[in-house]
Amino acid sequence: MTSFAPPVSLQPLLARIETMARDAGLEAYIVGGSVRDALLGRATRDLDIAVDRDAMPFARRLADALGGHFVALDDANAIARVVLHDAAVSYIDVA
């Protein structure tokens, strides 16, 4: 079985997300296409992050901290997007 190792270019961003989640008392996980791309050695332009609760408020704080824009994608299912400029990825989806 192949282990998941995020690209070096994403590690500072992932560390920041992890710290913010931990400070908020949340568990955060890299999921979806982000994992697939890393396993296949593909470049990724987005991250998919799942948190154990409070996804919308966390995404809003993440957008503010990263200088990005918060976009609510699905209020009923608590899915949001953080749109970034000049970053390792173009956007981060949080659910």
Side-chain angles (χ1 to χ4, degrees):
M1 177 181 228
T2 304
S3 63
F4 174 74
V8 173
S9 62
L10 294 180
Q11 289 178 3
L13 177 60
L14 293 172
R16 191 154 183 202
I17 293 168
E18 179 182 23
T19 298
M20 288 184 65
R22 186 176 44 243
D23 290 350
L26 301 174
E27 294 287 329
Y29 305 91
I30 304 167
V31 297
S34 305
V35 175
R36 177 204 59 228
D37 291 344
L39 290 171
L40 294 174
R42 295 181 187 165
T44 186
R45 63 180 191 72
D46 71 301
L47 283 175
D48 302 309
I49 303 292
V51 292
D52 60 343
R53 64 185 183 288
D54 301 331
M56 299 294 266
F58 178 72
R60 187 172 296 280
R61 287 191 307 273
L62 188 61
D64 291 344
L66 298 176
H69 301 282
F70 171 86
V71 180
L73 296 178
D74 184 341
D75 287 325
N77 292 300
I79 302 170
R81 177 169 286 170
V82 176
V83 180
L84 302 171
H85 303 284
D86 300 322
V89 295
S90 299
Y91 59 91
I92 303 167
D93 287 342
V94 180

